[in-house]
Amino acid sequence: MHEILVLYYSRYGATAEMAQRIARGIEEIEGCQARIRTVPPVSATCEATASDIPDDGPLYAGIDDLRECAGLALGSPTRFGNMAAPLKYFLDGTSSLWLGGALIGKPAAVFTSTSSMHGGQETTLISMMLPLFHHGMLVMGLPYSETGLLSTQTGGTPYGPSHTAGPESNRPLSEEEKQLCRALGKRLAETVVKMQAGTGH
Ligand SMILES: Cc1cc2nc3c(=O)[nH]c(=O)nc-3n(C[C@H](O)[C@H](O)[C@H](O)COP(=O)(O)O)c2cc1C
C-alpha cells in the first residue's frame, strides 16, 4: 500500500475540508492510502504549550510522517498572501530530512483557502512549493484538462486546488472546488503508482 501524506493547517475548517476531499481522491486509486495529519498552532511564548495529541481531528504530523510518505499534499489557509505560520514552523523543523535527502524525488502538490477572490491564492500556493523544491520534491499542479479550471467562478488554479471561503470564512466548497480537490488527490496517487512501478517497489 502506498501511503500519501495529506498535511495541512486549518483554523476555520476550509483547508481541512479540502484535505478530506484530496484524501478521498487519493483513495480512489487502487493501492493508495491517505495519511491525514495536521500541525498545532504556534505559541506566542516560543515554548510548546499544547498537548502532543489534539482534542479532535487528525493527529499532529511528525518528521517520520514525511520520511515515510510516498507523496505529499500540503495545504494551508492564506495568511497575508503566504502560508500560515504553524505550517512554516513545522517545515522549518525538517532540516534533518533535507540533510539526508529523504524527500528527493517524491511527488508533491499544494492547496489553499482564502477569504477573498484575489487575496493571494497563487502566491500562497507558490510559497508552499518553495520549501518542497529545496527538498527535491517533484511538485505538480492541475492540468487544464480538468474542466473545472475553466468553469470555476471561485477557487481552482493550475498551481493547485483553492477555495474562496468569503468574508466570514464560511462559504461551502463549490462543485468545481470539490472536483479539483478530488482530481489533485487522484493525480498525485496515480503518479506515485507509476513511479513506484518504475522502480519495482
Ligand atoms: C492572519 C490572517 C491573515 C489572512 N490573510 C488573508 C489574505 O491575505 N487573503 C485572503 O483572502 N484571506 C486571508 N485570510 C483569511 C483566510 O485565508 C481564510 O479565512 C481561509 O479560508 C481560512 O482557512 P481555514 O478555514 O482552513 O482556517 C487571513 C486570515 C488570517 C487570520
Side-chain angles (χ1 to χ4, degrees):
M1 189 60 83
H2 307 304
E3 276 208 86
I4 299 174
L5 182 61
V6 182
L7 172 60
Y8 70 93
Y9 176 72
S10 181
R11 183 154 165 198
Y12 302 111
T15 315
E17 188 186 340
M18 296 179 81
Q20 293 290 340
R21 290 185 178 276
I22 290 167
R24 271 184 244 165
I26 288 169
E27 296 193 347
E28 281 183 47
I29 304 304
E30 199 181 333
C32 290
Q33 191 172 315
R35 186 188 296 189
I36 304 177
R37 292 289 183 270
T38 187
V39 292
V42 285
S43 160
T45 59
C46 300
E47 292 292 334
T49 54
S51 150
D52 286 348
I53 300 187
D55 293 338
D56 51 29
L59 293 172
Y60 292 139
I63 294 295
D64 283 343
D65 289 310
L66 276 174
R67 195 192 312 278
E68 291 160 10
C69 74
L72 170 70
L74 186 70
S76 171
T78 290
R79 294 274 165 95
F80 303 120
N82 209 316
M83 82 174 98
L87 195 66
K88 179 71 164 55
Y89 183 80
F90 177 78
L91 292 173
D92 284 357
T94 60
S95 303
S96 61
L97 297 177
W98 177 77
L99 282 167
L103 304 183
I104 292 176
K106 294 186 184 189
V110 294
F111 56 102
T112 192
S113 176
T114 56
S115 30
S116 57
M117 185 75 158
H118 302 290
Q121 295 185 346
E122 282 95 340
T123 55
T124 302
L125 293 170
I126 290 168
S127 79
M128 284 189 282
M129 289 179 190
L130 299 180
L132 305 186
F133 280 123
H134 280 254
H135 273 292
M137 301 192 90
L138 303 176
V139 179
M140 65 170 63
L142 285 164
Y144 271 93
S145 50
E146 293 299 337
T147 52
L149 285 180
L150 292 165
S151 60
T152 183
Q153 298 292 308
T154 55
T157 86
Y159 311 102
S162 60
H163 168 55
T164 308
E168 307 298 326
S169 295
N170 60 359
R171 204 177 278 163
L173 267 67
S174 71
E175 284 312 309
E176 283 93 345
E177 290 170 344
K178 288 180 195 170
Q179 177 51 33
L180 293 169
C181 287
R182 175 177 172 224
L184 185 85
K186 288 177 70 175
R187 187 165 203 234
L188 193 54
E190 281 164 352
T191 305
V192 164
V193 168
K194 279 184 206 156
M195 288 178 65
Q196 303 268 350
T199 59
H201 287 289

